[in-house]
């Protein structure tokens, strides 16, 4: 393992209900342990909840989009600096 691997900060945009749950914040910053390391959608959402616990109620229902493409919870992605990450809550039916 490379001990000098850099941590990487990623900005996560919050929309609709996610923004509400975060107290009106339109974005938060999450820190990934290692730059260039793959992370699953589920793990990424876990980091989001760690940074902003108010988002916990969306676990399992919100979508994560990277550069405008939805990813599934078990899909592994490698984020790069400047990637556009967003938490998009389910559209409520009522």
């Amino acid at each position: 393992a490379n001990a000098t691997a850099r941590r990487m900060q990623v900005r996560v945009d919050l929309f609709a209900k996610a923004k509400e749950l975060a107290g009106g914040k339109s974005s938060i910053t999450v820190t990934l342990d290692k730059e260039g390391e793959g992370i699953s959608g589920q793990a990424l959402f876990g980091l989001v909840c760690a940074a902003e616990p108010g988002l916990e109620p969306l676990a399992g229902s919100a979508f994560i989009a990277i550069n405008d493409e939805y990813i599934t919870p078990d899909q592994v992605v490698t984020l790069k600096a400047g990637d556009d990450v967003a938490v998009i809550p389910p559209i409520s039916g009522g």
Side-chain angles (χ1 to χ4, degrees), residues 34-83:
K34 296 191 190 73
E35 192 171 20
E37 187 174 64
I39 186 168
S40 70
Q42 193 170 12
L44 184 55
F45 196 78
L47 289 177
V48 167
C49 290
E52 181 49 71
L55 297 173
E56 289 275 6
L58 294 177
S61 64
F63 297 101
I64 288 201
I66 296 173
N67 299 328
D68 298 325
E69 285 186 25
Y70 288 117
I71 63 168
T72 59
D74 51 4
Q75 188 175 340
V76 174
V77 293
T78 303
L79 292 168
K80 299 180 298 302
D83 274 353

